[in-house]
Amino acid sequence: MSATTIIDTAPLGALIRYTDGSPKPPARFTKKLAAWERSNGVGRLVKKEPSRAYPTWTAPASFTLHEGNFSSDGVILVTIMRSHSVDSALVFEVAEDPKPGQVRVLLDFGGNTELLHLAESMTAAELWIAKEGYRNARLEIVADEEGERAGGADLAA
């Protein structure tokens, strides 16, 4: 799939795998392996942004993947996010869609929606919001394949 297809069809919370098509180098080649890992990986789709026109240039549409966190003693120190624009030469695929019944914790700002957390249940989502302190977050239950909302409309946190 192309990056455009991901923006058009993949739901927030999906696991997206991307690759440049090259084979993985042996572990003994640490620099080559690090370069390969920058172009081959997997992340959770957390944000989609439309193209934006500025006076001197136009930013292409893009999406952002959450690739992981580095933590110490239960405290997240660094969050790894990677953005890809529609003109990316990488090949993308949806590795896993969010399961029906899971709950997206979303935050709306600047005309965009960002996925903060994907919880297994409504209770888990509410506990996560209480722990993290997002007052303006909203909850959305992941729908089934037919596109019907499981359990009703969006819920405000």
Side-chain angles (χ1 to χ4, degrees):
M1 286 183 186
S2 68
T4 305
T5 307
I6 295 296
I7 290 173
D8 293 341
T9 63
L12 288 178
L15 283 177
I16 307 296
R17 183 174 293 120
Y18 59 94
T19 184
D20 63 1
S22 64
K24 184 176 182 178
R28 68 180 183 271
F29 298 111
T30 56
K31 289 182 181 178
K32 289 182 180 180
L33 183 60
W36 181 87
E37 287 173 346
R38 284 190 293 275
S39 298
N40 298 271
V42 65
R44 189 161 305 277
L45 182 60
V46 294
K47 185 169 35 171
K48 299 179 190 181
E49 295 188 61
S51 61
R52 295 175 308 279
Y54 296 102
T56 57
W57 68 290
T58 299
S62 64
F63 61 91
T64 303
L65 301 177
H66 176 256
E67 294 190 356
N69 296 321
F70 289 102
S71 61
S72 176
D73 296 326
V75 177
I76 295 173
L77 302 173
V78 177
T79 299
I80 308 299
M81 303 280 235
R82 187 160 297 175
S83 293
H84 300 277
S85 67
V86 293
D87 55 4
S88 174
L90 299 175
V91 176
F92 300 91
E93 71 171 317
V94 177
E96 178 182 302
D97 282 328
K99 296 175 189 80
Q102 286 185 312
V103 179
R104 294 181 185 107
V105 180
L106 303 169
L107 185 63
D108 297 320
F109 64 93
N112 289 324
T113 299
E114 183 173 354
L115 176 73
L116 299 174
H117 182 67
L118 185 62
E120 291 299 316
S121 66
M122 185 62 73
T123 304
E126 290 168 347
L127 288 171
W128 187 89
I129 288 175
K131 178 183 171 208
E132 299 297 324
Y134 284 96
R135 295 179 316 201
N136 298 330
R138 65 181 170 90
L139 304 176
E140 178 181 273
I141 299 172
V142 175
D144 58 10
E145 299 81 45
E146 290 82 43
E148 296 176 18
R149 188 151 318 274
D154 292 344
L155 304 169

